Amino acid sequence: MNALLSPEVKFWLNFFHPVLMWILLGVSIYALYLGIQWRRARTAEGEKKKELLKGRYNVKHYQVGSLILALMVLGAIGAMAVTYINNGKLFVGPHLLAGLGMTGMIAISASLSPFMQKGQDWARYTHIVLNATILALFSWQAVSGVQIVQRIITKQ
C-alpha cells in the first residue's frame, strides 16, 4: 500500500485528520448546547416546557452525538493508518494516548443511551462527566495536534 501512494498523496493525507477533528470539536460544542437545551426541556414546567419541547433537542442531540461517535472512531483509526503509512510506525505519546482514551470514552458514553432513555440518572451523570472530559481532552488535542501539523510541515 505504501508503495502505491505518491509522496504528494501521502503528504496531503496528513491533513485529513486535523481538519476533521477541528470540525468535530465545533460539532461537539454544538452537541453540548443541544444537550443543555434538552436538559432544560426535561426539567422545565408548564408553558416553558411546551416551548422547549418544540425544539426537539433530544432528537437533535442524539443524532449529532451519533455522527460524532462515528466520525471520531473513524478519524482515530484513519489518523493511525496515515501515520503508519507515512512513517512505518506509530508515535506513542500524549496525543495518541489521549485520542485513544477519548475514543473509548465516547463509545462508553454512547452506550449509556438506552439507560438514559429509561430515566436512569446515574447514566445521565456518567454521560455528562464522560463528555465533559472528552471535550476538555478534545480542546487540548486541538492544540497538540496543531503542533504536530507544524512539525510535519517543517519536515517537508
Side-chain angles (χ1 to χ4, degrees), residues 58-100:
N58 59 333
V59 174
K60 292 175 187 175
H61 181 71
Y62 188 83
Q63 290 170 339
V64 170
S66 296
L67 177 68
I68 293 168
L69 169 65
L71 292 177
M72 185 178 283
V73 170
L74 291 174
I77 293 168
M80 289 184 290
V82 167
T83 300
Y84 190 80
I85 287 168
N86 283 331
N87 302 286
K89 65 179 180 177
L90 294 179
F91 299 100
V92 179
H95 190 83
L96 174 65
L97 297 174
L100 290 173

Side-chain angles (χ1 to χ4, degrees), residues 7-120:
E8 293 82 20
V9 170
K10 287 171 54 176
F11 176 74
W12 288 107
L13 280 175
N14 286 309
F15 302 103
F16 182 77
H17 173 76
V19 169
L20 175 63
M21 291 299 121
W22 272 96
I23 292 168
L24 277 181
L25 177 58
V27 174
S28 295
I29 292 167
Y30 177 61
L32 170 64
Y33 165 78
L34 293 172
I36 290 169
Q37 296 301 2
W38 171 232
R39 185 168 181 84
R40 287 182 60 220
R42 263 190 321 100
T43 59
E45 295 179 6
E47 287 302 313
K48 182 70 173 173
K49 184 173 189 123
K50 287 180 186 177
E51 188 62 33
L52 286 169
L53 288 175
K54 289 179 187 176
R56 301 189 55 203
Y57 297 112
N58 59 333
V59 174
K60 292 175 187 175
H61 181 71
Y62 188 83
Q63 290 170 339
V64 170
S66 296
L67 177 68
I68 293 168
L69 169 65
L71 292 177
M72 185 178 283
V73 170
L74 291 174
I77 293 168
M80 289 184 290
V82 167
T83 300
Y84 190 80
I85 287 168
N86 283 331
N87 302 286
K89 65 179 180 177
L90 294 179
F91 299 100
V92 179
H95 190 83
L96 174 65
L97 297 174
L100 290 173
M102 290 168 56
T103 303
M105 284 189 283
I106 199 166
I108 294 166
S109 181
S111 75
L112 296 170
S113 291
F115 301 102
M116 290 185 287
Q117 290 171 347
K118 291 182 179 174
Q120 298 294 320

